[in-house]
Amino acid sequence: DDGRMVGGVIPLAWHLEDQRRTTKADLLVDAGDFMTGNPVCNLEEDGVPGVAVARMMTALGYDVGVVGNHEFDIGSDKTARLAGYFGFPLLAADIVDTKGRPVFRREPVILDKGGLKVGVIGCSCEGMAEVVPAAKFGGWSMTDQEAVVRQLAESIDHKTDLIVLITHNGVDADRELARRLENSGVDVIVGGHSHTRLKEPELEGGILIVQAGSKMTNLGRLDLKVTDDRVVEYDGRLIDLWSDGTYAGPELTKMVQGYENRVLDEFGVQIGTAVRDLKKRKGESNLGNWLADVFRARAEADVAFINTGGIRKALKAGPVTALDIHEILPFANNLITMDLTGRQLATIIQRNADSAINRKHGILQVSGIRYTFRTSVDGQTAEVQEILVGGRPLIPGEGYRVAMPDYVAVMADVYLNIDLPASEDLGVTLAKVVVAAVVESGTIDAEIDGRIQKVK
């Protein structure tokens, strides 16, 4: 909050070395979604995005990692190829192909650490189908995590002193999984996905749960004392990865600087100018309005939506680079269109208005459509009073072309509350759509103009 810089590969390397000075042995793991948040993920090698990430993580000395849902932003074929570039095992015991065969490594990793045999099992995202478009998951499927973990833990329990499970489920799902895995032999769950900063370990079902947040801003440290095949003492905390005064060895520094220069060369050139600050917020935002307008124009649609949670950074007034756009829209989601009736649009607006009140999740930013609402008597739902499309009252029986990120369609039960018709994928990512729009217009400006109005 005070502007102090935090996070990054070099600070992580420095803090890792600092922490390793005070322990006889350590195990470094990653719980997935390494393919998100920075254009370095888009740098390609042999046609595969993400190789730079794989090389930097390998240089940092990771022992084991797991596949997260955002690894599939690039499509399953490239995800499978990318896994081969990591210099450490990348696990996902619960992902299988159409014939039921493991796609990634299923077998646990057993490592000798400080005289202890440590077994590591890895599972991916239990709710994968809910967050990854089917087209990007390649027809693969997920198996039951509890069953596969119990089987694998039993197979290595006699060979190990400690069993660690890495997951990409989110902390709530990890708590439930820990309860189901009680007495399975699993000692620790290292989780990801929910971006939860657990400042100290949780104990559930006799299993320790830890998670270190997101954006490489924290390193989680868990100290364990193991006796007779069980954890008898533990202590955990988060280390803030402050970047000032940090440095790394010459090889890693050269590697990181090389990738940073490539990012700046490819994305750092000015492509336009922002007239004012474009901000993101929980309600209607000028940044959300501008992005939705760009998507609607590109798709030649009547209405466009974008989920507020997919907007990851504000835009300051002044020069705008492609790097700015990719940091605002870091996920490789495509723009899609579908034809909806006015009744379906009204259902979506009702869900959006409800969400603005109950705050169960972020709202959709909108373009081409305006509505007013007020809080219902129950205090949890909305009374939608007026909906306008293109300045005219919404007609229930009329058809409308609607544009949105493919992620919003995948999360239809959350954002839309309708049965989806067939959609058309425009074959272009959100970031590319916006970059092209900025290059064409040269200037960016947007206001909060009352598209979403809450009244008393």
Side-chain angles (χ1 to χ4, degrees), residues 37 152 262 272 347:
L152 294 175
R262 280 188 60 187
T347 299

Side-chain angles (χ1 to χ4, degrees), residues 196-266:
T196 307
R197 296 177 70 252
L198 290 179
K199 295 183 179 180
E200 57 186 29
E202 294 187 3
L203 189 60
E204 194 74 59
I207 298 174
L208 292 168
I209 299 174
V210 294
Q211 190 175 148
S214 63
K215 301 181 182 178
M216 207 186 284
T217 55
N218 286 107
L219 170 65
R221 173 165 175 162
L222 177 64
D223 287 274
L224 302 172
K225 182 178 181 180
V226 179
T227 303
D228 296 330
D229 201 32
R230 65 188 184 93
V231 176
V232 294
E233 291 181 21
Y234 68 89
D235 179 53
R237 62 189 185 278
L238 297 181
I239 293 104
D240 295 317
L241 299 181
W242 300 118
S243 65
D244 44 313
T246 62
Y247 54 87
E251 290 187 12
L252 180 61
T253 299
K254 181 179 179 180
M255 179 188 296
V256 171
Q257 288 178 343
Y259 288 132
E260 186 172 24
N261 289 337
R262 280 188 60 187
V263 167
L264 291 174
D265 287 344
E266 292 189 30

Side-chain angles (χ1 to χ4, degrees), residues 38 245-246 295 310:
N38 191 291
T246 62
F295 298 151

Side-chain angles (χ1 to χ4, degrees), residues 13-35:
W14 192 92
H15 286 281
L16 273 170
E17 184 175 352
D18 184 52
Q19 294 300 315
R20 283 167 170 157
R21 292 191 186 100
T22 58
T23 182
K24 295 180 180 179
D26 69 276
L27 174 70
L28 179 62
V29 302
D30 183 87
D33 273 6
F34 43 81
M35 279 294 289

Side-chain angles (χ1 to χ4, degrees), residues 335-407:
L335 185 64
I336 65 170
T337 61
M338 61 183 68
D339 293 322
L340 301 179
T341 66
R343 290 186 183 86
Q344 290 172 312
L345 265 181
T347 299
I348 294 171
I349 295 305
Q350 180 67 55
R351 172 57 64 88
N352 215 39
D354 289 345
S355 299
I357 293 170
N358 58 42
R359 300 296 176 92
K360 290 182 178 179
H361 57 80
I363 69 166
L364 297 172
Q365 304 288 320
V366 305
S367 174
I369 194 165
R370 295 173 177 267
Y371 64 94
T372 59
F373 69 99
R374 66 182 179 188
T375 304
S376 298
V377 176
D378 62 13
Q380 293 296 308
T381 57
E383 293 179 11
V384 178
Q385 297 179 312
E386 183 182 44
I387 304 175
L388 302 176
V389 178
R392 297 182 302 163
L394 178 107
I395 302 174
E398 190 165 318
Y400 299 92
R401 191 178 199 205
V402 181
M404 67 185 73
D406 55 12
Y407 176 78

Side-chain angles (χ1 to χ4, degrees), residues 19 62 102 165 169 205 232 243 263 267 328 359 410 449 451:
Q19 294 300 315
Y62 277 90
L165 170 64
N169 291 329
V232 294
S243 65
V263 167
F267 300 99
I328 291 169
R359 300 296 176 92
V410 171
D449 53 18
R451 302 176 186 191

